């Protein structure tokens, strides 16, 4: 089953830790990153676009930043057009933070992609809102069988 699970744990400073688990086919992984609550809200809003257009893709990412640029990705989720049949592609890249003194190449990484329809995306958008508002323990995106 192809699915994406998100849990956001806010702090008192407008940021929070986003825990992400993805499974797609035989691939699975989990990681976390600190994300600003405003970035999470922007991502949630962008998921409601119809259609998702190239150049305006919903994107949520975090990790180690250097000079305003994401230097080491720990979490990246991007939703792009998935072709002419009305599908969208969910791409997830996850990496564990390296241990102190460890080379970045020694990080564990997983990248997964799967197609969903706009109904799946709408349910995920609602689920993300409910998780952020404390109604649900996690946001869930599951690829429907249609």
């Amino acid at each position: 089953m192809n699915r994406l699970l998100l849990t956001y744990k806010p702090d008192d400073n407008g940021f929070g830790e986003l825990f992400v688990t993805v499974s797609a086919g035989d691939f699975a992984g989990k990681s976390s990153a600190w994300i600003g609550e405003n970035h999470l809200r922007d991502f949630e809003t962008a998921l409601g676009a119809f259609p998702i257009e190239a150049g305006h893709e919903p994107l949520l990412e975090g990790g180690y930043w250097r000079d305003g640029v994401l230097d080491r990705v720990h979490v990246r989720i991007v939703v792009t057009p998935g072709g002419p049949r009305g599908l969208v592609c969910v791409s997830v890249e996850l990496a564990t933070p390296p241990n102190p003194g460890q080379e970045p190449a020694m990080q564990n990484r997983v990248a997964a992609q799967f197609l969903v329809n706009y109904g799946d995306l709408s349910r995920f958008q609602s689920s993300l809102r409910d998780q952020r508002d404390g109604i649900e323990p996690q946001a869930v995106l599951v690829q429907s069988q249609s």
Side-chain angles (χ1 to χ4, degrees):
M1 173 185 294
N2 297 326
R3 70 179 182 175
L4 175 65
L5 307 173
L6 304 182
T7 303
Y8 187 70
K9 305 273 186 181
D11 66 9
D12 295 331
N13 298 321
F15 287 85
E17 191 167 9
L18 180 70
F19 297 88
V20 180
T21 302
V22 67
S23 59
D26 292 335
F27 290 90
K30 62 182 179 177
S31 190
S32 68
W34 286 87
I35 305 285
E37 188 171 340
N38 59 332
H39 291 113
L40 185 63
R41 287 180 189 271
D42 291 347
F43 178 70
E44 176 190 312
T45 299
L47 291 172
F50 181 81
I52 301 283
E53 296 182 4
H56 301 283
E57 298 94 346
L59 171 67
L60 187 62
E61 61 185 356
Y64 292 154
W65 295 81
R66 182 181 299 170
D67 299 324
V69 176
L70 188 56
D71 185 47
R72 292 188 187 163
V73 172
H74 297 162
V75 169
R76 178 176 287 139
I77 303 166
V78 63
V79 180
T80 58
R85 295 183 42 200
L87 299 175
V88 291
C89 180
V90 178
S91 300
V92 181
E93 182 182 340
L94 302 175
T96 57
N99 293 321
Q102 184 181 30
E103 292 294 319
M106 296 300 292
Q107 288 178 286
N108 293 314
R109 299 176 181 274
V110 65
Q113 294 182 325
F114 56 93
L115 295 173
V116 298
N117 61 42
Y118 281 95
D120 298 333
L121 207 56
S122 178
R123 286 184 290 280
F124 178 57
Q125 182 186 29
S126 295
S127 178
L128 188 57
R129 183 179 317 108
D130 288 348
Q131 195 282 318
R132 185 179 40 79
D133 291 343
I135 298 169
E136 293 293 334
Q138 61 188 183
V140 181
L141 172 61
V142 177
Q143 179 187 42
S144 64
Q145 298 301 316
S146 59

